[in-house]
Amino acid sequence: MNPVPAPPHVFGLRGGRLRYVRADGDGVDRSLVAYHAVNVEPEVFGDGLLGGPVREVDELRGVVGALLEDVGSEVDAATLVLPEAWFRLLFLESEELPEDDQRRDEVLRWKIKRMVPFRVEDLRLSAAAVDPLPGQEEAGRYLVGFGSESLLGAFEEAFDSHGVHLGRITCESLGTLSGVERGVEAGEVALLVLADETGWSLIVARGGRPVLHRYKPQPEAISPTLRPLVERDLRLTVSFVEEHFAGATPRRVFLLASPELEEPWSGLLETAVGRRAEPVGALHLGLEGAAESALRELAPLVGATWEVVS
Protein backbone atom coordinates (compact mmCIF):
# COMPACT_ATOMS: atom_id res chain seq x y z
CA MET A 1 0.00 0.00 0.00
CA ASN A 2 1.20 3.49 -0.75
CA PRO A 3 1.72 5.88 2.19
CA VAL A 4 -1.31 8.05 2.93
CA PRO A 5 -1.61 11.22 5.04
CA ALA A 6 -2.56 10.79 8.67
CA PRO A 7 -6.06 11.91 9.70
CA PRO A 8 -6.24 15.66 10.47
CA HIS A 9 -7.76 14.91 13.89
CA VAL A 10 -5.24 14.63 16.73
CA PHE A 11 -5.82 14.28 20.47
CA GLY A 12 -3.15 14.74 23.10
CA LEU A 13 -2.88 14.43 26.86
CA ARG A 14 -0.50 16.44 29.02
CA GLY A 15 -0.61 18.53 32.14
CA GLY A 16 -4.03 17.30 33.23
CA ARG A 17 -5.76 18.32 30.02
CA LEU A 18 -7.01 16.36 27.02
CA ARG A 19 -6.65 18.43 23.87
CA TYR A 20 -7.97 18.22 20.33
CA VAL A 21 -6.39 19.80 17.27
CA ARG A 22 -7.46 19.81 13.67
CA ALA A 23 -4.89 21.18 11.26
CA ASP A 24 -5.68 20.96 7.55
CA GLY A 25 -3.44 21.80 4.64
CA ASP A 26 -1.30 20.65 1.77
CA GLY A 27 2.32 19.57 1.57
CA VAL A 28 3.58 23.05 2.45
CA ASP A 29 1.35 24.67 5.07
CA ARG A 30 -1.13 23.82 7.79
CA SER A 31 -4.00 25.94 9.04
CA LEU A 32 -5.26 25.50 12.59
CA VAL A 33 -8.93 24.76 11.98
CA ALA A 34 -9.95 23.87 15.52
CA TYR A 35 -8.52 23.64 19.02
CA HIS A 36 -10.38 22.45 22.11
CA ALA A 37 -9.35 21.21 25.55
CA VAL A 38 -11.00 19.78 28.66
CA ASN A 39 -9.62 19.09 32.13
CA VAL A 40 -8.94 15.55 33.33
CA GLU A 41 -9.24 14.98 37.07
CA PRO A 42 -6.07 13.53 38.68
CA GLU A 43 -7.89 10.50 40.10
CA VAL A 44 -8.64 9.18 36.60
CA PHE A 45 -5.11 7.78 36.33
CA GLY A 46 -3.08 5.84 38.86
CA ASP A 47 0.61 6.27 39.56
CA GLY A 48 3.23 4.46 37.55
CA LEU A 49 6.34 4.87 35.44
CA LEU A 50 4.28 4.31 32.29
CA GLY A 51 1.30 6.42 33.31
CA GLY A 52 -0.26 3.98 35.70
CA PRO A 53 -3.59 2.21 35.23
CA VAL A 54 -6.84 4.00 34.42
CA ARG A 55 -8.71 4.02 37.74
CA GLU A 56 -11.89 5.65 36.51
CA VAL A 57 -12.77 4.18 33.10
CA ASP A 58 -16.24 5.76 33.06
CA GLU A 59 -14.71 9.14 33.90
CA LEU A 60 -12.27 8.82 30.98
CA ARG A 61 -15.15 8.01 28.64
CA GLY A 62 -16.94 11.09 29.95
CA VAL A 63 -13.91 13.32 29.37
CA VAL A 64 -13.58 12.07 25.79
CA GLY A 65 -17.31 12.58 25.22
CA ALA A 66 -17.20 16.13 26.61
CA LEU A 67 -14.30 17.03 24.35
CA LEU A 68 -15.98 15.55 21.28
CA GLU A 69 -19.12 17.52 22.12
CA ASP A 70 -17.05 20.71 22.10
CA VAL A 71 -15.47 19.69 18.79
CA GLY A 72 -18.90 19.44 17.22
CA SER A 73 -17.85 17.99 13.87
CA GLU A 74 -17.78 14.25 13.26
CA VAL A 75 -14.51 12.49 14.06
CA ASP A 76 -14.20 8.84 13.08
CA ALA A 77 -10.42 8.29 12.99
CA ALA A 78 -7.68 10.08 14.91
CA THR A 79 -4.17 10.04 16.33
CA LEU A 80 -3.42 10.12 20.07
CA VAL A 81 -0.22 11.79 21.28
CA LEU A 82 0.93 10.83 24.78
CA PRO A 83 3.65 12.24 27.07
CA GLU A 84 7.15 10.80 26.71
CA ALA A 85 6.82 8.99 30.06
CA TRP A 86 3.71 7.15 28.89
CA PHE A 87 4.90 6.07 25.44
CA ARG A 88 8.58 5.12 25.39
CA LEU A 89 11.03 4.59 22.55
CA LEU A 90 14.16 2.50 22.23
CA PHE A 91 16.40 1.20 19.46
CA LEU A 92 17.54 -2.39 19.17
CA GLU A 93 19.59 -4.51 16.82
CA SER A 94 18.19 -7.74 15.44
CA GLU A 95 18.19 -10.00 12.48
CA GLU A 96 15.12 -9.48 10.32
CA LEU A 97 12.02 -9.77 12.48
CA PRO A 98 9.45 -12.47 11.60
CA GLU A 99 6.50 -11.39 9.44
CA ASP A 100 4.08 -13.41 11.56
CA ASP A 101 2.63 -11.03 14.15
CA GLN A 102 2.79 -13.50 17.06
CA ARG A 103 6.38 -14.57 16.38
CA ARG A 104 7.42 -10.95 15.83
CA ASP A 105 5.92 -9.99 19.17
CA GLU A 106 7.67 -12.89 20.93
CA VAL A 107 11.06 -11.88 19.50
CA LEU A 108 10.58 -8.23 20.47
CA ARG A 109 9.65 -9.12 24.05
CA TRP A 110 12.63 -11.44 24.37
CA LYS A 111 14.95 -8.77 22.94
CA ILE A 112 13.88 -5.92 25.23
CA LYS A 113 13.38 -7.96 28.42
CA ARG A 114 16.75 -6.89 29.80
CA MET A 115 16.59 -3.40 28.35
CA VAL A 116 13.57 -2.00 30.21
CA PRO A 117 12.58 -1.91 33.90
CA PHE A 118 9.04 -3.11 33.16
CA ARG A 119 7.29 -6.47 32.91
CA VAL A 120 7.36 -7.09 29.17
CA GLU A 121 4.18 -9.15 29.51
CA ASP A 122 2.32 -5.94 30.43
CA LEU A 123 3.53 -3.95 27.43
CA ARG A 124 2.20 -3.28 23.97
CA LEU A 125 5.03 -3.18 21.45
CA SER A 126 5.45 -2.01 17.90
CA ALA A 127 8.61 -1.83 15.80
CA ALA A 128 9.69 -0.12 12.60
CA ALA A 129 12.87 -0.81 10.68
CA VAL A 130 15.36 2.07 10.55
CA ASP A 131 18.72 2.45 8.85
CA PRO A 132 21.42 0.24 10.43
CA LEU A 133 24.49 1.85 11.97
CA PRO A 134 27.93 1.19 10.48
CA GLY A 135 29.62 -1.67 12.29
CA GLN A 136 26.63 -2.89 14.28
CA GLU A 137 26.66 -6.58 15.21
CA GLU A 138 23.31 -7.66 13.79
CA ALA A 139 21.93 -6.93 10.34
CA GLY A 140 18.83 -4.91 11.25
CA ARG A 141 18.03 -1.99 13.51
CA TYR A 142 14.54 -1.17 14.76
CA LEU A 143 12.80 1.69 16.51
CA VAL A 144 10.52 0.16 19.13
CA GLY A 145 7.64 2.03 20.73
CA PHE A 146 5.98 0.65 23.82
CA GLY A 147 3.48 1.50 26.51
CA SER A 148 1.25 -0.10 29.11
CA GLU A 149 -1.26 -2.40 27.41
CA SER A 150 -3.91 -1.63 30.03
CA LEU A 151 -3.44 2.13 29.66
CA LEU A 152 -3.41 2.18 25.85
CA GLY A 153 -6.34 -0.22 25.72
CA ALA A 154 -8.34 1.99 28.08
CA PHE A 155 -7.79 5.01 25.82
CA GLU A 156 -8.83 3.00 22.77
CA GLU A 157 -11.96 1.75 24.51
CA ALA A 158 -12.89 5.26 25.68
CA PHE A 159 -12.59 6.70 22.18
CA ASP A 160 -14.19 3.69 20.53
CA SER A 161 -17.24 4.08 22.79
CA HIS A 162 -17.82 7.41 21.01
CA GLY A 163 -17.20 6.02 17.52
CA VAL A 164 -13.59 7.22 17.18
CA HIS A 165 -10.92 4.77 16.03
CA LEU A 166 -7.41 5.56 17.30
CA GLY A 167 -5.42 4.39 14.32
CA ARG A 168 -2.12 5.52 15.79
CA ILE A 169 -0.73 6.23 19.25
CA THR A 170 2.59 8.04 19.44
CA CYS A 171 4.67 10.28 21.72
CA GLU A 172 5.36 14.00 21.77
CA SER A 173 8.91 13.83 20.42
CA LEU A 174 7.91 11.83 17.32
CA GLY A 175 4.91 14.09 16.75
CA THR A 176 7.04 17.24 16.96
CA LEU A 177 9.78 15.74 14.80
CA SER A 178 7.27 15.10 12.01
CA GLY A 179 6.56 18.82 11.95
CA VAL A 180 10.09 20.25 12.12
CA GLU A 181 11.73 17.67 9.83
CA ARG A 182 10.16 19.28 6.76
CA GLY A 183 12.81 22.02 6.87
CA VAL A 184 15.75 19.65 7.26
CA GLU A 185 17.73 18.80 4.16
CA ALA A 186 18.13 15.21 3.01
CA GLY A 187 20.95 13.50 4.89
CA GLU A 188 21.27 16.37 7.36
CA VAL A 189 21.47 15.54 11.07
CA ALA A 190 19.09 17.39 13.37
CA LEU A 191 18.56 17.27 17.13
CA LEU A 192 15.24 18.00 18.84
CA VAL A 193 14.93 18.56 22.60
CA LEU A 194 11.62 18.71 24.52
CA ALA A 195 11.82 20.05 28.07
CA ASP A 196 9.27 20.90 30.75
CA GLU A 197 8.77 20.63 34.49
CA THR A 198 8.56 16.81 34.38
CA GLY A 199 11.80 16.06 32.53
CA TRP A 200 13.38 16.21 29.10
CA SER A 201 13.86 14.09 26.02
CA LEU A 202 15.93 14.34 22.89
CA ILE A 203 15.63 12.73 19.51
CA VAL A 204 18.30 12.75 16.83
CA ALA A 205 17.23 12.33 13.23
CA ARG A 206 19.10 12.05 9.96
CA GLY A 207 17.12 13.19 6.97
CA GLY A 208 14.02 13.12 9.14
CA ARG A 209 14.54 9.49 10.23
CA PRO A 210 15.15 8.92 13.96
CA VAL A 211 18.53 7.41 14.88
CA LEU A 212 18.72 8.05 18.65
CA HIS A 213 16.27 8.82 21.45
CA ARG A 214 16.73 9.55 25.14
CA TYR A 215 14.23 10.36 27.85
CA LYS A 216 15.10 11.62 31.33
CA PRO A 217 12.40 12.19 33.97
CA GLN A 218 14.44 14.94 35.66
CA PRO A 219 12.28 17.94 36.61
CA GLU A 220 15.35 19.80 37.88
CA ALA A 221 17.52 18.97 34.89
CA ILE A 222 19.07 22.44 34.71
CA SER A 223 19.77 22.77 38.43
CA PRO A 224 23.43 23.34 39.39
CA THR A 225 23.64 19.71 40.53
CA LEU A 226 22.23 18.03 37.43
CA ARG A 227 23.30 20.46 34.73
CA PRO A 228 26.79 18.89 34.33
CA LEU A 229 25.17 15.47 33.88
CA VAL A 230 22.77 16.79 31.24
CA GLU A 231 25.61 18.55 29.45
CA ARG A 232 27.57 15.30 29.49
CA ASP A 233 24.58 13.45 27.97
CA LEU A 234 24.36 16.02 25.20
CA ARG A 235 28.09 15.82 24.45
CA LEU A 236 27.84 12.02 24.29
CA THR A 237 24.98 12.44 21.83
CA VAL A 238 27.15 14.58 19.57
CA SER A 239 29.97 12.03 19.85
CA PHE A 240 27.54 9.25 18.88
CA VAL A 241 26.52 11.16 15.75
CA GLU A 242 30.13 11.95 14.78
CA GLU A 243 31.19 8.34 15.32
CA HIS A 244 28.43 6.72 13.31
CA PHE A 245 27.91 9.25 10.53
CA ALA A 246 31.37 10.02 9.22
CA GLY A 247 32.08 13.02 11.39
CA ALA A 248 28.68 14.64 10.85
CA THR A 249 27.43 16.95 13.59
CA PRO A 250 23.89 18.20 14.23
CA ARG A 251 23.34 21.07 11.79
CA ARG A 252 19.97 22.03 13.24
CA VAL A 253 19.06 22.04 16.93
CA PHE A 254 15.36 22.48 17.73
CA LEU A 255 14.02 23.21 21.22
CA LEU A 256 10.45 22.88 22.44
CA ALA A 257 10.39 24.02 26.06
CA SER A 258 8.20 25.61 28.67
CA PRO A 259 8.66 29.42 28.58
CA GLU A 260 10.63 29.51 31.82
CA LEU A 261 13.01 26.80 30.56
CA GLU A 262 13.63 28.08 27.05
CA GLU A 263 16.48 30.46 27.89
CA PRO A 264 18.47 28.14 30.20
CA TRP A 265 18.06 25.19 27.84
CA SER A 266 19.13 27.32 24.88
CA GLY A 267 22.35 28.20 26.69
CA LEU A 268 22.96 24.61 27.71
CA LEU A 269 22.50 23.34 24.16
CA GLU A 270 24.77 25.99 22.67
CA THR A 271 27.48 25.07 25.18
CA ALA A 272 27.19 21.30 24.78
CA VAL A 273 26.30 20.95 21.09
CA GLY A 274 27.92 24.07 19.68
CA ARG A 275 24.79 25.20 17.85
CA ARG A 276 22.29 27.86 18.78
CA ALA A 277 18.92 26.26 19.46
CA GLU A 278 15.94 27.19 17.33
CA PRO A 279 12.80 27.46 19.48
CA VAL A 280 10.10 25.50 17.67
CA GLY A 281 7.71 28.02 16.16
CA ALA A 282 4.77 28.19 13.81
CA LEU A 283 7.13 28.62 10.85
CA HIS A 284 8.86 25.29 11.59
CA LEU A 285 5.48 23.55 11.63
CA GLY A 286 4.17 25.32 8.53
CA LEU A 287 1.36 26.50 10.77
CA GLU A 288 -0.91 29.47 10.34
CA GLY A 289 -3.40 30.86 12.82
CA ALA A 290 -1.72 29.84 16.10
CA ALA A 291 -0.22 31.96 18.87
CA GLU A 292 3.45 31.20 19.53
CA SER A 293 2.72 31.02 23.25
CA ALA A 294 0.51 27.97 22.72
CA LEU A 295 3.04 25.94 20.74
CA ARG A 296 4.37 23.90 23.69
CA GLU A 297 0.98 22.20 23.74
CA LEU A 298 0.18 22.44 20.03
CA ALA A 299 3.47 21.47 18.36
CA PRO A 300 3.37 17.70 19.07
CA LEU A 301 -0.27 17.52 17.91
CA VAL A 302 0.13 19.67 14.79
CA GLY A 303 3.38 17.89 13.97
CA ALA A 304 1.55 14.55 14.06
CA THR A 305 -0.71 15.72 11.22
CA TRP A 306 2.38 15.83 8.95
CA GLU A 307 3.08 12.13 9.36
CA VAL A 308 2.17 9.62 6.70
CA VAL A 309 0.74 6.18 7.40
CA SER A 310 2.18 3.28 5.43
Side-chain angles (χ1 to χ4, degrees):
M1 296 179 64
N2 293 325
V4 297
H9 309 287
V10 181
F11 295 86
L13 181 76
R14 76 171 345 262
R17 305 197 85 194
L18 183 65
R19 296 173 171 82
Y20 164 82
V21 158
R22 176 169 181 172
D24 291 341
D26 52 24
V28 178
D29 295 307
R30 287 285 187 272
S31 294
L32 186 63
V33 177
Y35 171 73
H36 300 276
V38 295
N39 292 328
V40 183
E41 297 299 325
E43 62 268 19
V44 171
F45 301 103
D47 296 324
L49 294 176
L50 283 174
V54 176
R55 289 176 177 163
E56 301 290 343
V57 177
D58 289 341
E59 180 70 19
L60 182 58
R61 290 194 199 102
V63 168
V64 172
L67 182 54
L68 289 169
E69 188 174 340
D70 289 344
V71 170
S73 58
E74 184 175 344
V75 180
D76 56 6
T79 296
L80 176 66
V81 180
L82 293 177
E84 300 289 287
W86 293 22
F87 188 98
R88 305 290 185 97
L89 302 174
L90 61 81
F91 288 87
L92 63 80
E93 295 179 17
S94 175
E95 299 303 321
E96 186 176 355
L97 293 175
E99 292 187 7
D100 177 76
D101 289 343
Q102 183 175 344
R103 282 286 301 131
R104 184 184 182 92
D105 187 73
E106 290 172 355
V107 172
L108 284 174
R109 291 182 194 279
W110 182 81
K111 281 279 188 180
I112 75 167
K113 191 168 187 177
R114 296 183 180 181
M115 300 174 65
V116 300
F118 312 108
R119 277 174 41 90
V120 295
E121 296 83 4
D122 298 336
L123 303 178
R124 181 186 300 184
L125 307 172
S126 63
V130 295
D131 296 333
L133 297 176
Q136 69 178 44
E137 294 183 1
E138 300 191 62
R141 190 165 187 256
Y142 295 85
L143 174 59
V144 179
F146 65 92
S148 163
E149 176 61 55
S150 64
L151 179 70
L152 302 185
F155 272 110
E156 289 173 332
E157 193 280 330
F159 278 91
D160 189 61
S161 68
H162 295 283
V164 180
H165 172 64
L166 292 179
R168 184 177 42 147
I169 301 176
T170 187
C171 61
E172 292 186 341
S173 58
L174 286 180
T176 307
L177 178 66
S178 296
V180 302
E181 69 168 341
R182 303 172 312 102
V184 178
E185 296 181 5
E188 191 174 66
V189 176
L191 186 152
L192 166 66
V193 169
L194 282 69
D196 62 16
E197 66 282 355
T198 66
W200 61 277
S201 62
L202 70 80
I203 189 164
V204 178
R206 188 185 191 204
R209 295 175 61 84
V211 296
L212 178 68
H213 180 270
R214 287 180 179 167
Y215 167 67
K216 301 286 186 178
Q218 296 175 342
E220 301 297 329
I222 55 173
S223 69
T225 303
L226 289 177
R227 183 183 175 105
L229 299 178
V230 177
E231 186 172 321
R232 177 176 176 273
D233 269 351
L234 294 171
R235 292 186 187 279
L236 287 173
T237 298
V238 174
S239 296
F240 173 90
V241 172
E242 291 174 342
E243 177 183 351
H244 290 94
F245 299 105
T249 57
R251 297 290 301 276
R252 306 282 296 275
V253 177
F254 300 101
L255 173 64
L256 183 65
S258 303
E260 66 276 11
L261 296 179
E262 192 169 289
E263 183 176 344
W265 264 98
S266 293
L268 193 156
L269 284 165
E270 187 164 10
T271 299
V273 183
R275 293 277 179 182
R276 182 176 294 277
E278 304 175 38
V280 174
L283 184 62
H284 293 112
L285 301 168
L287 182 64
E288 299 176 352
E292 294 286 336
S293 60
L295 284 178
R296 182 61 188 87
E297 287 71 36
L298 291 179
L301 310 187
V302 173
T305 69
W306 284 103
E307 291 188 17
V308 295
V309 181
S310 56

